[in-house]
Amino acid sequence: MRTKWYKDAVVYQIYPRSFCDSNGDGFGDIQGIISKLDYLKDLGINCVWLSPVYDSPQEDNGYDISNYKDIYPPFGTLKDFKQMLDEMHKRGIRLIMDLVVNHTSSQHPWFKDAISNPNSPYRDYYFIQKGKKNGKRPPNNWTSLFTGPAWERIKGTDDYYLHLFAKGQPDLNWDNPKVREEVKDILRFWLDMGVDGFRCDVITLISKEQPMKNDYSLFPLKGLNQYRYGPHLDEYLHELYADVYSHYDTMTVGETVMTSVEQGKKLVNENEEKLDMIFNFDNTDVDNHFGVKYFLKKFKLTNLKKVYSKWQHALYGTGWNSLFIENHDQRRSSGRFGTVSEGPLKEKSAKALAATYFLMRGTPFIYEGQEIGMTNHNFKSIDEYQDIEAKNIYNLMEKYKILKPFLSKAFRDTNRDNARTPMQWDDSEYAGFSKVKPWLKVNDNYKEINAKKAIEDSNSLYHFYQKLIKYRIGNKILKDGEYSDLLPNNNKIYASKMSSDDGEILVIANFTSKKQKCKLLPVDAKYKLVLTNEDRNEENYLYEYEVRVYEYKK
Ligand code: TEU
């Protein structure tokens, strides 16, 4: 039944409100996605991860769901959705949806009933507790991942409800078996329609230690240790697998924030039947302190190598990796991870990064616009931001002005709207995303950076990705091979080897804007050069940001 097709997948993430607007309301939609499926087919990907399109008040851009079995009208209808799914399948593209079930929207009928009716059967779907001091204080000191207390008082009562994210995102109580049955019912609804799997939002937070106690640690995110890998997490994930996933040919990828490698190993161990792979954020945390994105630190290539090695070795032979450098919560990779975001080496450096993260054991993911080198947006004022997290941080800086000097740069560089600006399709007004002013400002550089231009230029990053994808899909050495870091202490050159019974693949990349001598060069004559971003070739040197991919087939 389960073919593990995901091991030969390259996944493209669509953030639907920013991808393509077909009906001229400035907001992306499903028909817009359908109109771009040939673009995706040409790029070569064979799976799409679609960020949430369910009905939602959109307080957190759809990560707050009010009806799990319907579509938010500005995106289209269920009929549009089915048409999109069919059109994808016709093109050999699978579809995984975003599953957001750590919390619902506060507009979900369950929650509305739970807070308005003291005898509601839905009260136990959530965490609703009496406040302390006759309701003046919340039940404990936990804080929200979006800043401020994690408890909100229910109007007119002494009760509070838990929300680890926004106020409009009350957490579901997974200890209630009825909640788990509801989730299974949602999963079956979409799988029976033909959907191929799920990206499971903050799935490692679903089990909360009981009772939920005050957290006296120094870490600013209070409560974290009581829910980041809660006591029943393994059990609940296996239950979903046994009751639902095992009956379909699915793929699941769990978003696992602040997860250790030991925990990761347990989550994706193929014998334990929970998740097929996870997104851990060790790679995107290499340029911050303590996993907090606002505490920026200088990037070092050796730190990134350590993360790659750690996860590649940990999961070898037992579980599968996800490989990614961008998503809708991260800033753009252009200018990050040792690359440059401007000037003549911009695309070349992006190609070097692309080849390094793609050619390991795992399923590669590409976030919309990454393939054409879209960049962070230099927003000029807070009015230009839309993201709830960005606004909350901004308000925090306004309230505590003392934080401003520390946080301003991090706020500008790391806020999530950087990745959410409309997809740049061409050089017409609004970048071909829409005919009218979009919901979020288009990046000013759309005339230079857009898909049309990228397709026309045979040397573009887009065409490099096309080659990489083609090379990756079905490649047995990458699928079964073991990773090794050939230069772990070198801060300028990245060099890795994948080896399996079928052969070897070497990736050697210069991560500086200067020519570098490389002791691994020239490579043995048994290796054939299969991909590079450089026309020139020097025996012992790599040109600036040059990457070479060599293959030896046994
Ligand atoms: O994000 C999980 C998460 O922990 C976020 O706080 C993320 O780490 C942060 O935004 C980085 O700045 C998921 C979704 O991907 C995100 O879009 C949602 O806002 C969040 O869950 C709540 O559903």
Side-chain angles (χ1 to χ4, degrees):
M1 194 81 203
R2 305 197 85 234
T3 62
K4 303 198 175 165
W5 55 266
Y6 54 84
K7 293 193 177 180
D8 278 312
V10 174
V11 186
Y12 187 92
Q13 183 191 352
I14 292 180
Y15 196 62
R17 53 165 60 215
S18 302
F19 195 57
C20 181
D21 168 22
S22 74
N23 62 354
D25 60 0
F27 192 85
D29 48 53
I30 293 176
Q31 288 299 334
I33 297 175
I34 296 174
S35 74
K36 296 296 182 189
L37 290 180
D38 286 333
Y39 169 83
L40 296 181
K41 173 90 191 139
D42 288 347
L43 179 60
I45 57 96
N46 55 10
C47 183
V48 162
W49 152 22
L50 183 63
S51 276
V53 288
Y54 312 90
D55 207 2
S56 155
Q58 303 286 324
E59 194 173 320
D60 185 18
N61 293 3
Y63 284 87
D64 48 325
I65 299 170
S66 53
N67 184 348
Y68 287 89
K69 295 185 182 171
D70 208 350
I71 305 294
Y72 178 54
F75 284 135
T77 61
L78 270 176
K79 197 164 157 256
D80 293 320
F81 182 86
K82 281 189 196 143
Q83 184 193 345
M84 174 183 71
L85 185 60
D86 288 346
E87 291 296 328
M88 284 181 174
H89 286 165
K90 261 190 227 163
R91 289 168 178 78
I93 298 174
R94 287 186 162 93
L95 174 66
I96 65 168
M97 291 184 83
D98 222 304
L99 178 75
V100 189
V101 286
N102 171 68
H103 42 267
T104 67
S105 158
S106 57
Q107 297 308 308
H108 195 289
W110 300 335
F111 188 71
K112 288 213 274 193
D113 194 66
I115 59 166
S116 58
N117 168 9
N119 301 315
S120 166
Y122 296 109
R123 267 182 98 78
D124 202 27
Y125 273 41
Y126 296 92
F127 295 102
I128 297 179
Q129 293 187 9
K130 282 249 153 325
K132 287 183 184 156
K133 305 211 163 143
N134 294 328
K136 284 199 196 74
R137 302 270 303 273
N140 66 34
N141 70 348
W142 289 16
T143 47
S144 153
L145 278 87
F146 284 168
T147 75
W151 295 92
E152 180 69 8
R153 191 169 181 171
I154 300 172
K155 277 198 190 82
T157 74
D158 294 345
D159 294 335
Y160 285 71
Y161 67 88
L162 178 75
H163 62 92
L164 293 183
F165 292 89
K167 285 178 193 153
Q169 294 168 303
D171 280 59
L172 279 168
N173 173 13
W174 276 67
D175 295 336
N176 180 349
K178 286 195 193 134
V179 167
R180 305 202 296 276
E181 290 310 314
E182 298 274 14
V183 172
K184 291 176 206 167
D185 179 55
I186 295 165
L187 292 172
R188 292 188 190 107
F189 175 84
W190 294 102
L191 291 170
D192 287 340
M193 198 187 292
V195 162
D196 301 285
F198 295 94
R199 173 268 186 187
C200 313
D201 191 62
V202 287
I203 200 70
T204 34
L205 310 187
I206 57 174
S207 165
K208 280 96 179 164
E209 214 172 286
Q210 297 300 326
M212 300 185 273
K213 301 183 298 273
N214 269 335
D215 176 355
Y216 298 107
S217 71
L218 291 175
F219 196 67
L221 199 56
K222 300 286 183 234
L224 181 65
N225 285 330
Q226 292 170 67
Y227 63 74
R228 92 161 105 190
Y229 199 110
H232 300 290
L233 177 65
D234 292 311
E235 184 189 322
Y236 296 159
L237 288 177
H238 178 68
E239 187 179 320
L240 293 187
Y241 183 95
D243 291 358
V244 185
Y245 302 137
S246 62
H247 302 282
Y248 300 84
D249 194 16
T250 54
M251 137 175 182
T252 55
V253 49
E255 188 206 23
T256 62
V257 281
M258 296 168 280
T259 301
S260 71
V261 88
E262 290 315 314
Q263 294 167 333
K265 271 166 97 165
K266 275 160 63 82
L267 291 167
V268 299
N269 185 310
E270 291 183 8
N271 298 323
E272 295 189 28
E273 304 185 321
K274 285 176 244 168
L275 295 166
D276 296 322
M277 62 188 114
I278 58 167
F279 291 125
N280 77 79
F281 293 92
D282 284 354
N283 62 330
T284 53
D285 284 335
V286 285
D287 46 17
N288 70 43
H289 293 283
F290 322 116
V292 181
K293 69 176 181 182
Y294 306 107
F295 302 159
L296 292 174
K297 106 177 164 197
K298 199 167 178 283
F299 172 79
K300 272 176 85 178
L301 186 62
T302 45
N303 288 342
L304 186 62
K305 292 178 179 185
K306 273 186 206 139
V307 169
Y308 286 158
S309 288
K310 181 171 81 171
W311 283 94
Q312 285 288 313
H313 292 309
L315 303 188
Y316 181 66
T318 62
W320 191 246
N321 287 283
S322 75
L323 310 169
F324 76 100
I325 49 174
E326 288 189 17
N327 69 29
H328 65 291
D329 293 333
Q330 294 289 327
R331 61 192 189 274
R332 289 289 184 178
S333 62
S334 180
R336 206 181 174 190
F337 306 120
T339 66
V340 289
S341 61
E342 283 176 342
L345 293 171
K346 175 186 182 293
E347 290 231 331
K348 195 177 177 194
S349 67
K351 290 175 188 170
L353 177 64
T356 58
Y357 95 91
F358 235 73
L359 303 178
M360 285 183 242
R361 194 170 165 277
T363 300
F365 287 72
I366 299 171
Y367 177 66
E368 65 180 41
Q370 178 188 322
E371 76 281 16
I372 56 168
M374 278 178 63
T375 65
N376 281 350
H377 195 315
N378 190 8
F379 292 107
K380 306 251 164 21
S381 104
I382 186 66
D383 304 327
E384 292 175 346
Y385 292 92
Q386 296 286 339
D387 177 30
I388 182 164
E389 185 189 71
K391 285 181 180 162
N392 285 357
I393 289 291
Y394 185 84
N395 291 339
L396 196 77
M397 288 194 300
E398 286 295 291
K399 194 165 158 197
Y400 303 103
K401 292 234 162 30
I402 189 165
L403 293 174
K404 259 197 170 165
F406 304 102
L407 288 185
S408 303
K409 181 172 161 33
F411 171 72
R412 195 194 60 226
D413 290 355
T414 71
N415 79 77
R416 306 194 297 182
D417 277 342
N418 278 314
R420 299 175 177 187
T421 58
M423 176 72 186
Q424 292 162 211
W425 292 106
D426 59 37
D427 61 4
S428 65
E429 202 184 8
Y430 308 124
F433 162 77
S434 175
K435 296 250 176 309
V436 303
K437 194 172 170 225
W439 70 277
L440 182 66
K441 215 175 153 201
V442 173
N443 196 310
D444 300 330
N445 60 20
Y446 71 95
K447 291 212 160 126
E448 285 310 306
I449 301 172
N450 62 64
K452 182 164 176 275
K453 203 170 159 206
I455 292 168
E456 283 163 7
D457 172 6
S458 63
N459 194 30
S460 68
L461 178 62
Y462 166 90
H463 286 291
F464 190 82
Y465 266 109
Q466 216 177 23
K467 288 183 200 143
L468 258 182
I469 296 166
K470 196 156 171 225
Y471 185 63
R472 173 63 188 78
I473 293 177
N475 188 312
K476 287 188 66 148
I477 306 172
L478 293 170
K479 198 160 129 183
D480 306 326
E482 187 169 11
Y483 175 91
S484 48
D485 184 347
L486 302 178
L487 298 173
N489 301 318
N490 191 316
N491 251 318
K492 296 177 174 156
I493 297 172
Y494 172 91
S496 67
K497 180 162 87 175
M498 290 293 291
S499 32
S500 80
D501 293 344
D502 295 294
E504 289 173 10
I505 289 170
L506 298 181
V507 182
I508 306 177
N510 175 1
F511 269 83
T512 73
S513 46
K514 291 202 180 73
K515 203 168 143 182
Q516 301 289 347
K517 192 165 168 55
C518 178
K519 66 177 183 194
L520 302 170
L521 297 175
V523 296
D524 189 284
K526 70 179 183 183
Y527 295 104
K528 299 276 162 288
L529 186 69
V530 288
L531 193 63
T532 178
N533 59 356
E534 176 61 70
D535 308 325
R536 300 165 293 179
N537 191 344
E538 273 217 37
E539 274 255 291
N540 307 311
Y541 286 84
L542 289 166
Y543 285 101
E544 53 278 7
Y545 285 109
E546 174 175 357
V547 60
R548 297 187 200 173
V549 181
Y550 290 101
E551 183 184 88
Y552 155 55
K553 270 215 177 105
K554 277 186 192 158

